[in-house]
DNA sequence: CAGGATCCACCGTGATACTG
DNA sequence: CAGTATCACGGTGGATCCTG
């Protein structure tokens, strides 16, 4: 708390009030904590094609372990992005489907995916340049 | 500013061959690895207001340690989202500014922030419901 | 079939101290 | 001012085995 008040008077600061999430109560962390993990986006992509059962998802996403599929779907259900329907048959049968909000989440993920694909090469190029200079 | 128009056209039909990133070569992981970490979005928000120096960023983002600011800016520079300019004065002076691609990344982050804010309550409600049922 | 239960390796993050 | 260096920790994810 050494009062180092550095009034920099950058005219750009006053233009934006607080930024779209600078206040940190926009809830973007909850969303990014989902999207950011290893499998959520892939599960969303698969479920955006239609209703899927557990092993259908498992087979559709290579490298995804049984455990992580359980964890991922559970988190998606908890936040209301996915609806789980279990039929008490033998053997058991469980269906997963996107909720309306889940479809919204998937759509924003698609926006990200589109932007990522468009800038993929530029990012890779920048990275190579940086790595070459900082070997 | 963050009013980026989102043409989403919900891809629930069979029209999608493999999904927008199901093939996993759309580069979305590179982007999500950045956006997903703890401080990148906040740094992007701050830099979207204008050029900033190291300690300006440090002071602007509460809770962000010196070390993590270094790590975060370095990663952003490496991928070409931020440009670093160091003036060899004494004491040293370093400026950070968004590149054009960095502004694009910030814009997509704002799209996410907008959606997050719009669905914040719904997510919290779903989570409370889930937690109540699975206590 | 659809998970649950354990154990473990990794690494992103934080706290602290030091420096050109 | 703008970092670097070191240590420690907690959570995420992977592998394996077990079950209603």
């Amino acid at each position: 708390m050494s009062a180092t008040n550095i009034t920099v008077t950058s005219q750009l600061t006053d233009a934006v009030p607080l930024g779209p999430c600078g206040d940190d109560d926009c809830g973007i962390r909850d969303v990014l904590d989902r999207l950011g993990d290893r499998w959520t986006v892939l599960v969303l992509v698969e479920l955006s094609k239609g209703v899927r059962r557990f092993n259908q998802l498992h087979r559709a996403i290579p490298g995804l372990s049984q455990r992580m599929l359980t964890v991922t779907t559970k988190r998606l259900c908890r936040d209301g992005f996915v609806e789980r329907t279990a039929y008490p048959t033998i053997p058991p049968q469980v269906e997963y489907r996107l909720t309306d909000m889940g479809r919204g989440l998937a759509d924003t993920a698609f926006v990200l995916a589109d932007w990522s694909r468009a800038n993929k090469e530029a990012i890779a190029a920048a990275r190579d340049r940086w790595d070459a200079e900082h070997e």
Side-chain angles (χ1 to χ4, degrees), chain A:
Chain A
M1 305 4 152
S2 50
T4 47
N5 46 5
I6 317 209
T7 46
V8 187
T9 63
S10 169
Q11 294 127 334
L12 291 167
T13 16
D14 303 332
V16 178
L18 242 170
C21 59
D23 46 9
D24 209 347
D25 79 338
C26 70
I28 194 175
R29 272 267 62 87
D30 287 334
V31 173
L32 280 174
D33 283 346
R34 277 324 103 238
L35 258 41
D37 63 27
R38 198 151 193 78
W39 302 108
T40 293
V41 172
L42 294 175
V43 171
L44 286 177
V45 167
E46 193 59 26
L47 286 181
S48 71
K49 302 175 189 170
V51 178
R52 292 290 185 273
R53 292 172 48 189
F54 188 86
N55 276 348
Q56 272 184 303
L57 288 172
H58 192 201
R59 279 188 299 269
I61 305 174
L64 172 54
S65 72
Q66 217 167 36
R67 182 181 111 86
M68 285 317 296
L69 177 55
T70 306
V71 171
T72 302
T73 53
K74 191 169 292 183
R75 294 202 277 226
L76 286 170
C77 286
R78 185 168 110 101
D79 287 0
F81 298 129
V82 165
E83 187 182 16
R84 195 191 101 119
T85 313
Y87 301 98
T89 60
I90 294 177
Q93 190 163 337
V94 179
E95 283 178 357
Y96 294 95
R97 81 190 67 222
L98 290 181
T99 63
D100 288 343
M101 189 165 66
R103 248 179 296 277
L105 181 65
D107 287 340
T108 67
F110 293 161
V111 173
L112 242 75
D114 288 341
W115 189 88
S116 301
R117 194 182 305 101
N119 295 88
K120 185 180 186 288
E121 286 80 9
I123 294 173
R127 195 173 293 187
D128 289 346
R129 224 178 308 124
W130 203 95
D131 289 347
E133 291 173 4
H134 302 76
E135 33 75 68

